[in-house]
Amino acid sequence: MEWGERVEQIILAFSKDETAVRFKRMLDGSGFEVRGVAHSAAELLRMLSRMEEVLIIMGYKLKDGTLNDVYDALRPGQKLMSIVKAERQDMIENEEIFVLPLPVGREHLISAIEVFLGVIQKTADRKTNRSEADEKIIDRAKLYLMEKYRMTEKQAHRFIQKRSMDTGSRFVDTARQILHI
């Protein structure tokens, strides 16, 4: 299966069953196929051993492991998205993990998944296709956010990324909006 196809395989991994059920309901009818639910890292890793391309959606930690433990065990084609409380968002420093802060509604979740899967496909192309001028604008916008709001570089990047996703704008266009140019 190609990531660009509409039907995607997803595994939900949450320590609380009611949380997994809530997200499963949100994904019903979306074109994303929930292939399983795991409540522990061990259970999740067993499921992943039989799957090639899959998106794992999980909270910050499971009964027997954290997000970082799961990430370290992933194989190529297995991608990780974390849905966490806003105060935990900064604890996730790995830029390969797409972080979505709570609260999140159905439309926002589905949109975030679509953006994330699109980002996965296009990341390398996009970076090589960006002009030097666009890179400078993006860097200036990050610097502005870092100075004005005391953000780290990663926080500034995530801020631009999230705003870009929320507005449906290109990353560089969002950077221009932040700089008012």
Side-chain angles (χ1 to χ4, degrees):
M1 175 186 318
E2 299 273 330
W3 278 114
E5 294 176 14
R6 184 63 184 128
V7 178
E8 308 291 347
Q9 296 184 73
I10 293 177
I11 293 179
L12 300 175
F14 295 96
S15 54
K16 294 180 182 177
D17 192 49
E18 57 270 14
T19 305
V21 168
R22 184 169 60 99
F23 282 104
K24 187 172 186 328
R25 284 187 185 137
M26 291 170 105
L27 292 169
D28 284 347
S30 67
F32 296 105
E33 180 184 359
V34 177
R35 295 291 305 256
V37 175
H39 300 294
S40 70
E43 184 181 10
L44 175 60
L45 295 176
R46 276 193 302 277
M47 288 180 183
L48 292 175
S49 70
R50 298 181 303 259
M51 303 183 86
E52 292 297 316
E53 291 195 359
V54 64
L55 173 63
I56 302 104
I57 300 176
M58 68 180 286
Y60 182 72
K61 71 179 191 176
L62 299 168
K63 296 173 185 174
D64 59 344
T66 67
L67 186 68
N68 292 321
D69 298 329
V70 171
Y71 179 80
D72 291 341
L74 295 180
R75 296 187 331 249
Q78 297 175 337
K79 305 299 178 193
L80 186 57
M81 174 185 274
S82 181
I83 300 175
V84 297
K85 293 178 182 173
E87 60 267 17
R88 290 201 179 219
Q89 187 174 359
D90 293 338
M91 296 171 66
I92 303 169
E93 295 181 0
N94 188 326
E95 292 182 9
E96 296 292 317
I97 300 172
F98 189 89
V99 181
L100 188 60
L102 288 169
V104 62
R106 181 179 193 275
E107 289 180 18
H108 191 212
L109 175 64
I110 292 167
S111 173
I113 293 169
E114 290 171 341
V115 167
F116 179 52
L117 295 177
V119 166
I120 291 169
Q121 282 183 323
K122 299 171 188 164
T123 299
D125 293 341
R126 190 171 50 216
K127 285 189 177 181
T128 58
N129 288 339
R130 262 190 209 147
S131 70
E132 194 172 318
D134 287 351
E135 287 293 340
K136 285 182 181 179
I137 291 168
I138 291 166
D139 289 342
R140 281 181 45 214
K142 287 181 189 179
L143 186 61
Y144 171 81
L145 293 170
M146 291 164 61
E147 289 174 354
K148 182 159 182 152
Y149 299 104
R150 301 177 95 56
M151 293 182 180
T152 66
E153 193 273 337
K154 288 180 184 180
Q155 289 170 328
H157 181 87
R158 283 189 184 150
F159 179 87
I160 298 169
Q161 183 181 44
K162 184 174 181 338
R163 181 174 283 180
S164 177
M165 179 181 75
D166 289 346
T167 61
S169 301
R170 291 182 330 136
F171 199 88
V172 69
D173 293 335
T174 302
R176 282 187 182 103
Q177 289 173 344
I178 289 168
L179 294 170
H180 306 291
I181 56 174

